[in-house]
Amino acid sequence: MIRAGHFAKGRVGALVRASKAVSVLPRGVRLYSYQARPDTSEKETIVKLLYNIGSKKEVEQYLRHFSSVESQKFAVIKVGGAVISDDLATLASALTFLTRVGLYPIVVHGAGPQLNKRLEAAKIEARYEDGIRITDGQTLAIAREVFASENRKLVEALERLGTRARPITGGVFVADYLNREKYDRVGKIYSVNREVVESSIRAGCLPILTSLAETPDGQILNVNADIAAGELARVLEPLKIVYLNEKNGLYHGTTGKRIETIHLDEEYEDLLKEPWVRYGTKLKLKEIKELLDTLPRSSSVAIISAEHLHKELFTHSGAGTLIMRGHRLFSKQDLAEVDSDRLRALLMEHDPSIASGETTAASYWQHLAALKKEGGRYWIYGDEPYQVAAVVMRKPGQNIAVVDKFVASKAAVLGNITDNAWKLITRDHPQLVWSVPRADDNLSWHFERADGSWAVGDNIVFWYGVEDWKQISELLTSKFNAQNTTSSSVPSGTRAYSTMARRTIARNSAPMGRRSYSTGSSSGSPLRVGLIGARGFTGRELIKLIDGHPRFELSYVSSRELAGKPVPNYTKAQLSHVNLSAQQVGDLAKAGRQAVDVWILALPNNVAAPFVAEINTATAQVSVDQQPIVVDLSADYRFDATGQWAYGLPELHRSELKTNMTGRIANPGCYATGSQLGLAPLLPYLDQSRLPSVFGVSGYSGAGTKPSPKNDPEFLRDNLIPYAPVNHIHEREIGHSLTRMSHPQHPFTTNNPIRVQFSPHVAPFFQGISLTLHVPLCQSMTAKDMLEVFREFYQNEKLVHVTENAPLVRDNAGKHYAVVGGFAVPPHSEGGLAELANRRAVLNVTLDNLLKGAATQAIQNMNIAVGIDEYTGIPTPDEPTMSPN
């Protein structure tokens, strides 16, 4: 991920719009094979995946920024040997993803751990002097073999994913001996042959370099990979220099927190004085400063893990540690001490009230002078080139300072100078308040810095460092904020934590049980919904469904990574994402259904428990009829044995859902839903001595948004990926839930549960699931018998259709129902094992994994739980869509 201003550059501006999704490469650059035959759906999917890493706006901003330079100036990525040995698949996937959007990072790798292991096996002692490996002839010979081997591993891993890569083990770095008597064959690079690298990019290949150098007469010399990457960066002047490590950044030695940004011009000297900055950390910081001092200010260094590389490059909030030069900042308490002409120019371009002519800079100067005359104070913050400016004021008798203006140029955004300015402001003012229009494009910047917020009319009031609820209540009821604070124009997305660690303050929920994002009342008693985990594909489908639902309305849409950004596909009100902690959800739950009627937890597995615990604790004294409904979409409560959670597959567990008194519903998994719908009608005929088998194929939206081969369209092209061949969680869920709904006359109990064999696969289409079930029978049946059994079983169900022909994924994608059909039985055999093997039913089930497999089913369960018609807000056609055979 990248901060508000350091977005990698590449050849991808046109990818931002699906209709223009074409990689823009320099003249003469050969396209990858997948680019030679453009696939609009693939490119749309790549952009979709990026949008789920961050907001559409920030992804587009980064892509435009990356596309503004030549390909070789995008990034130099240094890969440590430990990353290759321990995390090769993740690294290859991350690099492949970048090539899919036309970005060509130059990779320089080391092999230190591998070399040490080989030397140990050869009984050669690894010797160091001043932290530099002494490289004699034997060591160098082994080093060359190790470097070639590790280089080949990475290249082959990339090519297995369909990414063209070129191994470059020499010919790039020209060096002389660093100190032959002291270090032997260790080099000091004095020249870089950039043509070798650039020719690889022109050929459409990722250049994969070792750090070995050569003297002019051909002697190989060992060079540290960090140093080699730095020398390459000095020649190419890339936007990003990325150091991949396992720790995902640098960590503050006192607080233990990851350092998110370092602005060297402002912080370097103080940072070196920190007691924990010593040895390797101090050396690394000095090397990075020396490197960045020789590069344009647009260049930055990122220290990140391979797993989080995309979030570092494509989102404002970032994931690792970002280091840049920045600018020195100033703080003045008198207008006469600043360059008023340059400040006026910045405000006239970027401040809404002055730019629109609503007021003038001269009038604002008078306002500041009057405030000072009345006994108040003001502070003007800015940087030396006047790319960012802020005005903080405090009226006489006020304890909490007001951020009255905060504006920045595009250069300040791309340089992340806004983050540094904010740190300086909060250093001077431990308590702050400010107000921003709800329609402001940069709300995310404010949400990321605030400790709390509250919607007041068309504005959102933010506060920082205010913990006393009495003070907060006074802020919210005072007209001061609306009258005396103006919209800040700060760009979204800098780090919430940097080297100057601020205390952690839990963002408080709304006071007095009020809702901070009220959508207002409407006829039919709207039911308020809080959605926790809105970033993924399922969250987006839930937002669409709730937008079209006549009774449900969204009150809170929470996403840590999208906080402050507008909620897409929702037209009932203007909503922005918030970032609610488990404690804040619990605070809101104390008001029961007066605050939120239904909480939807659309979170990954093993994440929901803190939220559930807070809700349970908060509502312990709330009457049953006022208890909020909780629908959990993860697998965390699908195996509940306490009786507190109802299993939310209405077609099979409707009575349990209607009689459930706790309001806790575990939404089934997508594969599990389709498999159970295909197996349940056959339970009376099931041969318990043999296992049913389910062959499942899902679209790659089911693989989530984290880049991997399972959601890489190019890797999936003409491909099918099997995964989790045994003990998949849906395999266990299918058997567990069918056993629980089994009737007494069936032979299945918790001591004799139903078991199934489940084989999941990922296919090249985006959404939808196709299941083929083989069900062993205890008696002979015909295909017609099976059709009648299923039609009778589902005759009154509006979201399950039974057809004679086999259903197709393309017919079911985007639909809210499941389809069961394609019934068949093998030819009859007489006697023995052949007869037993052929006594089985074969059928097909299709459903949309994001709808009936997730979001639609959640709405169905919510309808039942709140006592309205089960199908309210869900399209229910009489017949399914079926392609002609």
Side-chain angles (χ1 to χ4, degrees), residues 327-601:
H327 290 278
R328 289 196 177 276
L329 301 174
F330 64 78
S331 171
K332 305 296 182 182
Q333 296 188 48
D334 195 315
L335 189 60
E337 298 179 38
V338 304
D339 189 332
S340 59
D341 290 336
R342 298 177 75 183
L343 180 58
R344 176 188 286 107
L346 183 65
L347 291 173
M348 288 181 66
E349 185 174 357
H350 298 287
D351 180 74
S353 60
I354 294 177
S356 67
E358 178 183 339
T359 186
T360 65
S363 298
Y364 191 66
W365 302 162
Q366 289 179 339
H367 173 62
L368 293 178
L371 173 67
K372 198 168 186 178
K373 187 175 181 180
E374 294 169 0
R377 300 177 67 184
Y378 66 83
W379 294 259
I380 299 174
Y381 297 87
D383 64 333
E384 292 171 344
Y386 282 82
Q387 296 174 322
V388 63
V391 178
V392 178
M393 57 177 56
R394 185 184 295 150
K395 283 189 172 183
Q398 283 187 334
N399 295 320
I400 302 176
V402 176
V403 183
D404 195 58
K405 291 189 183 296
F406 200 147
V407 296
S409 68
K410 183 178 179 181
V413 175
L414 296 178
N416 233 36
I417 303 167
T418 49
D419 181 57
N420 224 22
W422 180 254
K423 287 186 294 182
L424 183 57
I425 292 170
T426 55
R427 184 193 304 173
D428 293 345
H429 306 280
Q431 292 184 314
L432 292 165
V433 64
W434 66 103
S435 177
V436 180
R438 293 182 64 164
D440 192 287
D441 289 337
N442 302 309
L443 280 177
S444 63
W445 191 93
H446 304 279
F447 275 103
E448 288 171 4
R449 271 142 202 80
D451 291 323
S453 63
W454 188 254
V456 179
D458 293 331
N459 295 303
I460 297 178
V461 177
F462 295 93
W463 59 87
Y464 169 91
V466 185
E467 301 179 68
D468 186 343
W469 271 114
K470 184 178 179 181
Q471 287 183 301
I472 294 172
S473 183
E474 289 172 356
L475 289 174
L476 298 176
T477 55
S478 171
K479 294 182 180 180
F480 171 83
N481 298 290
Q483 294 173 347
N484 296 288
T485 59
T486 58
S487 171
S488 301
S489 300
V490 184
S492 61
T494 14
R495 305 286 187 166
Y497 174 77
S498 186
T499 52
M500 301 172 207
R502 63 179 260 210
R503 66 200 176 286
T504 302
I505 302 176
R507 292 181 183 171
N508 297 297
S509 60
M512 300 171 289
R514 296 169 59 195
R515 295 161 54 205
S516 62
Y517 285 94
S518 173
T519 54
S521 61
S522 60
S523 59
S525 300
L527 298 163
R528 296 168 293 273
V529 177
L531 173 58
I532 309 298
R535 186 175 71 90
F537 297 122
T538 298
R540 294 189 175 194
E541 295 296 342
L542 280 163
I543 290 168
K544 293 177 188 177
L545 280 164
I546 292 170
D547 187 54
H549 198 286
R551 294 291 303 279
F552 292 135
E553 64 175 27
L554 286 168
S555 292
Y556 299 91
V557 182
S558 180
S559 168
R560 178 177 57 82
E561 296 181 5
L562 300 180
K565 299 175 176 64
V567 175
N569 304 313
Y570 191 69
T571 61
K572 291 182 178 179
Q574 288 187 344
L575 284 182
S576 293
H577 292 88
V578 294
N579 180 17
L580 295 177
S581 66
Q583 181 181 350
Q584 291 169 310
V585 170
D587 289 341
L588 288 165
K590 289 176 182 177
R593 292 195 182 183
Q594 293 182 15
V596 173
D597 294 281
V598 182
W599 288 102
I600 305 175
L601 305 180

Side-chain angles (χ1 to χ4, degrees), residues 11 24-30 69-72 104 201-202:
R11 303 275 114 205
V24 184
L25 301 175
R27 185 183 301 276
V29 171
R30 181 155 55 93
V69 297
E70 300 170 79
S71 292
Q72 69 271 20
Y104 292 80
I201 294 174
R202 287 196 299 271

Side-chain angles (χ1 to χ4, degrees), residues 809-828:
V809 168
R810 69 181 181 189
D811 294 335
N812 219 155
K815 306 300 193 303
H816 299 271
Y817 50 77
V819 182
V820 186
F823 303 104
V825 294
H828 179 69

Side-chain angles (χ1 to χ4, degrees), residues 647 649-653 671-686 692 694 734-735 737-743 745-746 748 754 756 773 775 777 781 786 789-794 797 800 820 823 843 845:
Y647 187 71
L649 182 47
E651 288 78 12
L652 305 182
H653 296 267
Y671 277 128
T673 294
S675 300
Q676 290 179 79
L677 292 176
L679 288 170
L682 293 176
L683 286 184
Y685 312 99
L686 190 63
V694 181
I734 295 164
S737 299
L738 284 176
T739 300
R740 193 164 71 172
M741 64 85 60
S742 179
H743 295 296
Q745 62 268 31
H746 301 156
F748 306 109
I754 298 171
V756 299
L773 288 75
V775 186
L777 303 175
M781 297 181 72
M786 292 168 56
V789 166
F790 275 80
R791 281 179 172 169
E792 181 180 356
F793 194 94
Y794 293 120
E797 300 296 344
V800 180
V820 186
F823 303 104
L843 63 142
V845 181

Side-chain angles (χ1 to χ4, degrees), residues 65-310:
H65 186 61
F66 297 156
S67 66
S68 66
V69 297
E70 300 170 79
S71 292
Q72 69 271 20
K73 290 193 173 185
F74 160 45
V76 171
I77 298 180
K78 183 268 175 176
V79 178
V83 176
I84 296 178
S85 62
D86 300 338
D87 213 6
L88 179 61
T90 301
L91 172 63
S93 180
L95 294 174
T96 293
F97 190 88
L98 293 177
T99 68
R100 298 295 186 264
V101 291
L103 298 178
Y104 292 80
I106 300 161
V107 178
V108 181
H109 71 82
Q114 296 92 325
L115 177 56
N116 286 338
K117 190 174 181 179
R118 284 284 304 276
L119 291 173
E120 183 181 354
K123 300 188 183 315
I124 299 174
E125 180 183 358
R127 295 178 295 142
Y128 296 86
E129 184 74 34
D130 302 326
I132 297 172
R133 184 192 296 273
I134 297 174
T135 308
D136 57 19
Q138 281 184 300
T139 300
L140 183 61
I142 294 175
R144 292 182 64 184
E145 294 178 9
V146 169
F147 270 104
S149 173
E150 298 306 302
N151 187 276
R152 188 166 56 250
K153 283 181 186 177
L154 179 52
V155 169
E156 290 174 352
L158 288 165
E159 291 182 340
R160 283 195 296 271
L161 296 178
T163 298
R164 297 181 62 203
R166 178 173 291 181
I168 302 176
T169 58
V172 176
F173 302 111
V174 182
D176 201 350
Y177 289 94
L178 178 62
N179 185 327
R180 190 167 187 176
E181 291 183 2
K182 192 173 185 180
Y183 308 117
D184 206 348
R185 293 171 176 81
V186 174
K188 180 179 181 180
I189 296 171
Y190 65 83
S191 178
V192 174
N193 182 4
R194 61 188 296 170
E195 175 58 26
V196 177
V197 174
E198 292 172 350
S199 67
S200 174
I201 294 174
R202 287 196 299 271
C205 299
L206 279 185
I208 310 299
L209 286 64
T210 69
S211 60
L212 294 176
E214 298 150 32
T215 64
D217 59 5
Q219 172 62 50
I220 304 296
L221 297 177
N222 188 21
V223 177
N224 178 272
D226 284 5
I227 293 174
E231 293 302 322
L232 184 61
R234 284 184 171 90
V235 173
L236 297 177
E237 297 186 342
L239 287 174
K240 303 290 294 185
I241 303 96
V242 180
Y243 293 96
L244 294 183
N245 73 4
E246 312 89 272
K247 295 181 179 179
N248 197 39
L250 296 177
Y251 287 79
H252 195 285
T254 302
T255 66
K257 292 184 178 180
R258 176 169 47 84
I259 300 170
E260 299 192 343
T261 54
I262 299 175
H263 294 80
L264 293 172
D265 281 7
E266 184 72 19
E267 303 177 56
Y268 179 70
E269 292 179 3
D270 290 336
L271 192 56
L272 289 188
K273 296 175 185 177
E274 292 278 353
W276 57 271
V277 178
R278 51 186 178 172
Y279 309 132
T281 302
K282 179 175 286 189
L283 179 62
K284 172 65 73 176
L285 288 173
K286 285 184 176 180
E287 290 176 348
I288 290 173
K289 185 179 189 306
E290 290 173 359
L291 172 61
L292 289 178
D293 281 347
T294 66
L295 298 176
R297 284 192 181 270
S298 57
S299 295
S300 65
V301 168
I303 302 175
I304 191 73
S305 68
E307 179 183 0
H308 294 100
L309 179 61
H310 307 97

Side-chain angles (χ1 to χ4, degrees), residues 615-638:
I615 293 172
N616 288 344
T617 300
T619 59
Q621 304 304 317
V622 177
S623 61
V624 173
D625 63 323
Q626 286 300 306
Q627 290 267 351
I629 306 300
V630 180
V631 179
D632 177 39
L633 272 68
S634 76
D636 292 7
Y637 296 97
R638 295 175 191 161

